[in-house]
Amino acid sequence: MLNTYTPLHVVNHLESKISRLEHLLSVAPLTIYTRSPFSPFPITFVSNSVKELLGYDADDFLESPTLWLDNVHPEDREQAISDVHRVVLGEPIIHKFRFKTKNGEWKWLRERAKLITDKTTGIPLEIIGGWTDMTELIHAENALIQSQEKIHHLAHYDSLTQLPNRLLINERIEQTIHFSYRENKTFALLFLDLDDFKVVNDSLGHHYGDALLRQVAGRLESSLREVDTAGRLGGDEFVVILSNTNEDGAANVAQKIINTLKEPFNIDGKVLAIQTSIGISIYPHNGRDNNMLTRHADMAMYQAKDAGRGQYCFFNFKMNTHLEHRLAMERDLRQAINEKQFLLYYQPQIDLISQKIVGVEALLRWKHPQRGMVSPLDFISIAEDCGLINPIGEWVLQQACEDIKTWEVAGFSGFKVAVNLSLRQLQAGKLFEKISAILQQTGVAGNRLELELTESVMMENHAVTLNFMTQCKDLGIHFSIDDFGTGYSSLSYLTKLPLLDKLKIDQSFIHDLAEHNDANTIVSAIVNMAKSLRLNVIAEGVETLEQLNYLTECGCDTVQGFYFSKPVSYDALTEFLQREITTHKSE
């Protein structure tokens, strides 16, 4: 039954049991009386209860005076003999020892012994001892100690990695601060966050995530000295205390950890790659107490992520403002999701031959109650880092499909709606199922939807991307590659994506048209390459007639940009569509 209890229940139970046993032993101890077998006096009497306790008859001890000593546990024998010598000198004793019974079982016995002397002459006459069976009490006490040790371990160590947990880490930091202050030393505090760890959990499951964390913990410990401490704060966050070190030492260890964790992990035959971002604070320069040091190391870690991930960054006091802005933005983003503060704007895409709208790109906008319209450039990266891009992305897909349906009812159905997808959405898994459910719920056909993926998204995990595109193609969904020319940009890479429909030239090239011959050459080459692969080409960021004319001459199919329209609200686009219909009817 004890195995079904929590450790705390076990402790309470054992403490109660020990108390009860001690009471019984003090009231009615099971004892045997004899002249001490360890004394120079011969054994002259052994009580009959010895057989019940030890299995030997009283005569066994009387006939073999060494029987008792021979069966005392070797580890206890020297102390037992020493205690008897003390009795011989007139000192009463109480001691415990282990004795092997006749059937081979070890029992704990407690002996009380004293020397009896002649009251007149003071001459020693005999030693009288009493023995109590302490076995059950000792076992209960040992079980209590083990349970207390287990509770201490559970309270101070992470159950998954067996590294010190947040509680013990805080204690170690306080101890290191105290030592460093007393010895006038410096030490470093490292905050580690595994980049994109959530993707492993979401795509492969917690079994792989947990196994990865255990292996990370092992590599982390192997990168440190014995005097250093590595701990897990929770999730994919770790902390390292580097005792008696400076900035150079901290930088060396941080880089060693980054290099160690870059090596592939093999989990159940799957090879996983992970990297870490590390923030570093130094005592006492970046803080003299635990809270300040940990807060500043955390800030530096986020700075390392913003700088590109897979690297370390030292804290500096300019980061305070940056982190406060970031935390406020994350808090406001969560509120924006709950309060539906997001909007979709749409930018028309114009066919260069028919001059008609053949598509629109859905662009996310955030109408903040205090800040007004917030640019996606200011919040998308934060939403990706804190995992909010997935619910935001789902909202975009849902709203875009609802708008498509409303336009269809109003008679506007001759165009596609392009929606951008984030790498995080694809990595999170079950994206196809979510898109399929949204299409079914809104009653929108898949061929009205176009999904835009960047080059890096498509190449991050080619097999997963290709499988996702294949599933979506079965629903009639189209795909375009966004910002082409800023990533891999090779013909061999494009041939690996046979399900691609459209290629979008990045606006940075369009901006330089007619001003730089290099840009003209690049745009012309991209159009020709796309045509050879039977891909449609769209150019974004078209703002001038010169740019439009050059793209027309190159054979570009579609354009979008301020030359025709800036991104507009749903209502404004509806009016735009109505005017277009009216114009073409009049023609």
Side-chain angles (χ1 to χ4, degrees):
M1 292 298 291
L2 290 181
N3 292 333
T4 65
Y5 291 169
T6 67
L8 186 57
H9 289 150
V10 171
V11 168
N12 293 335
H13 175 82
L14 291 172
E15 287 179 341
S16 175
K17 181 176 181 180
I18 289 170
S19 177
R20 187 169 63 254
L21 286 170
E22 288 176 337
H23 174 71
L24 290 174
L25 291 171
S26 64
V27 173
L30 175 62
T31 60
I32 57 175
Y33 292 94
T34 180
R35 307 284 174 85
S36 172
F38 305 137
S39 72
F41 303 98
I43 297 176
T44 58
F45 173 80
V46 179
S47 69
N48 290 329
S49 59
V50 71
K51 183 174 180 62
E52 180 182 350
L53 178 62
L54 304 177
Y56 292 101
D57 292 324
D59 291 342
D60 293 334
F61 288 98
L62 297 175
E63 294 171 0
S64 179
T66 63
L67 176 65
W68 186 276
L69 183 58
D70 292 341
N71 285 280
V72 171
H73 196 284
E75 294 179 6
D76 302 331
R77 192 171 298 159
E78 183 177 347
Q79 183 62 45
I81 294 174
S82 173
D83 287 341
V84 170
H85 289 162
R86 287 162 50 206
V87 176
V88 172
L89 296 174
E91 179 183 349
I93 62 158
I94 300 176
H95 74 121
K96 292 182 291 187
F97 60 91
R98 285 160 289 181
F99 183 86
K100 186 165 66 175
T101 65
K102 195 168 187 177
N103 63 8
E105 177 187 1
W106 287 103
K107 286 199 173 187
W108 277 98
L109 303 180
R110 180 177 64 190
E111 179 184 27
R112 293 175 182 269
K114 65 178 181 178
L115 180 67
I116 304 300
T117 60
D118 185 281
K119 292 182 180 180
T120 303
T121 63
I123 297 174
L125 299 177
E126 60 184 357
I127 295 175
I128 297 178
W131 287 265
T132 305
D133 184 3
M134 301 288 291
T135 306
E136 188 176 358
L137 178 61
I138 295 295
H139 287 170
E141 289 176 341
N142 290 339
L144 175 61
I145 293 171
Q146 292 173 4
S147 295
Q148 290 172 331
E149 291 175 348
K150 184 175 182 180
I151 287 177
H152 181 273
H153 187 84
L154 290 174
H156 291 84
Y157 289 86
D158 174 55
S159 59
L160 179 64
T161 64
Q162 302 306 309
L163 293 179
N165 63 11
R166 186 183 297 271
L167 178 63
L168 184 54
I169 281 293
N170 284 333
E171 292 180 5
R172 296 275 176 88
I173 293 174
E174 294 290 351
Q175 292 169 0
T176 309
I177 289 173
H178 179 73
F179 169 81
S180 300
Y181 174 79
R182 189 182 66 221
E183 301 295 327
N184 195 26
K185 303 288 187 181
T186 61
F187 75 90
L189 190 65
L190 278 58
F191 256 54
L192 290 73
D193 185 88
L194 302 182
D195 300 327
D196 297 327
F197 172 75
K198 189 175 185 298
V199 175
V200 176
N201 262 352
D202 292 344
S203 59
L204 298 178
H206 290 283
H207 166 72
Y208 285 93
D210 289 350
L212 179 59
L213 289 174
R214 284 192 290 268
Q215 290 194 25
V216 166
R219 292 191 188 183
L220 195 56
E221 285 193 302
S222 67
S223 303
L224 305 178
R225 304 167 299 176
E226 289 187 6
V227 295
D228 301 325
T229 299
R232 181 184 176 217
L233 298 180
D236 61 339
E237 292 185 332
F238 295 82
V239 67
V240 170
I241 306 170
L242 299 178
S243 302
N244 192 19
T245 194
N246 54 22
E247 288 191 2
D248 289 339
N252 290 335
V253 174
Q255 191 59 56
K256 181 179 180 182
I257 291 172
I258 289 170
N259 294 340
T260 298
L261 297 186
K262 275 184 179 178
E263 295 296 321
F265 293 85
N266 191 313
I267 300 174
D268 293 345
K270 284 188 179 291
V271 178
L272 303 180
I274 199 80
Q275 59 183 9
T276 184
S277 298
I278 303 177
I280 308 172
S281 63
I282 304 292
Y283 171 89
H285 315 309
N286 303 142
R288 293 179 176 273
D289 59 61
N290 186 354
N291 290 335
M292 190 67 73
L293 286 168
T294 54
R295 182 168 179 265
H296 289 167
D298 195 31
M299 287 184 188
M301 182 268 291
Y302 277 109
Q303 190 71 14
K305 282 186 175 292
D306 289 345
R309 302 172 179 242
Q311 56 188 288
Y312 66 85
C313 182
F314 283 93
F315 170 80
N316 65 68
F317 284 94
K318 293 180 181 179
M319 294 179 184
N320 275 315
T321 302
H322 172 77
L323 181 62
E324 288 171 1
H325 169 75
R326 183 188 185 90
L327 293 176
M329 189 70 78
E330 181 178 336
R331 182 190 64 241
D332 289 354
L333 276 172
R334 296 182 187 280
Q335 187 173 350
I337 295 173
N338 295 331
E339 297 182 0
K340 304 185 186 308
Q341 296 175 6
F342 293 111
L343 303 170
L344 279 189
Y345 273 43
Y346 295 93
Q347 186 169 38
Q349 298 172 336
I350 310 299
D351 181 82
L352 287 179
I353 296 177
S354 67
Q355 295 295 302
K356 293 181 180 180
I357 296 177
V358 292
V360 296
E361 181 180 4
L363 299 166
L364 181 64
R365 296 292 184 265
W366 178 13
K367 190 175 182 180
H368 193 282
Q370 283 81 41
R371 301 175 188 170
M373 297 298 278
V374 181
S375 168
L377 296 176
D378 293 333
F379 69 83
I380 289 297
S381 62
I382 296 175
E384 289 183 330
D385 285 341
C386 64
L388 295 177
I389 195 63
N390 291 319
I392 292 173
E394 285 184 43
W395 178 86
V396 171
L397 285 164
Q398 179 76 34
Q399 188 61 49
C401 287
E402 289 178 3
D403 288 347
I404 292 173
K405 191 63 180 179
T406 306
W407 280 320
E408 286 182 349
V409 172
F412 309 121
S413 58
F415 62 92
K416 294 180 177 63
V417 175
V419 175
N420 292 277
L421 293 183
S422 164
L423 173 62
R424 300 294 195 281
Q425 290 175 269
L426 193 60
Q427 290 174 328
K430 298 190 180 301
L431 181 57
F432 168 74
E433 290 80 0
K434 294 173 183 176
I435 294 173
S436 179
I438 289 173
L439 290 174
Q440 185 174 7
Q441 176 192 346
T442 57
V444 172
N447 61 10
R448 295 295 313 281
L449 190 63
E450 181 177 291
L451 300 179
E452 291 192 0
L453 301 171
T454 64
E455 296 177 71
S456 58
V457 170
M458 289 186 171
M459 296 306 295
E460 180 72 20
N461 190 327
H462 181 262
V464 172
T465 303
L466 195 59
N467 180 61
F468 168 71
M469 294 176 71
T470 301
Q471 291 177 308
C472 289
K473 276 291 183 178
D474 291 339
L475 297 179
I477 296 173
H478 288 241
F479 284 93
S480 65
I481 181 170
D482 195 14
D483 300 335
F484 187 80
T486 61
Y488 297 87
S489 308
S490 71
L491 182 62
S492 60
Y493 144 64
L494 286 176
T495 59
K496 296 178 181 179
L497 298 169
L499 302 178
L500 199 61
D501 300 289
K502 186 184 295 184
L503 184 153
K504 179 180 279 191
I505 305 174
D506 185 66
Q507 61 182 339
S508 62
F509 298 110
I510 306 304
H511 181 268
D512 291 336
L513 284 178
E515 295 181 9
H516 301 282
N517 289 331
D518 288 345
N520 295 6
T521 303
I522 291 172
V523 169
S524 178
I526 291 175
V527 172
N528 290 332
M529 181 175 62
K531 293 297 182 180
S532 69
L533 295 172
R534 296 182 176 84
L535 297 175
N536 287 326
V537 182
I538 180 172
E540 63 178 346
V542 178
E543 298 180 353
T544 67
L545 180 60
E546 289 78 13
Q547 294 169 348
L548 181 64
N549 289 338
Y550 185 84
L551 290 166
T552 303
E553 292 174 7
C554 284
C556 185
D557 301 297
T558 314
V559 295
Q560 73 180 80
F562 282 19
Y563 181 79
F564 292 98
S565 173
K566 64 180 181 180
V568 295
S569 66
Y570 168 85
D571 291 337
L573 180 62
T574 302
E575 293 178 7
F576 194 104
L577 295 169
Q578 184 62 55
R579 286 197 304 271
E580 184 183 62
I581 290 178
T582 303
T583 301
H584 284 288
K585 282 184 177 180
S586 64
E587 293 175 352

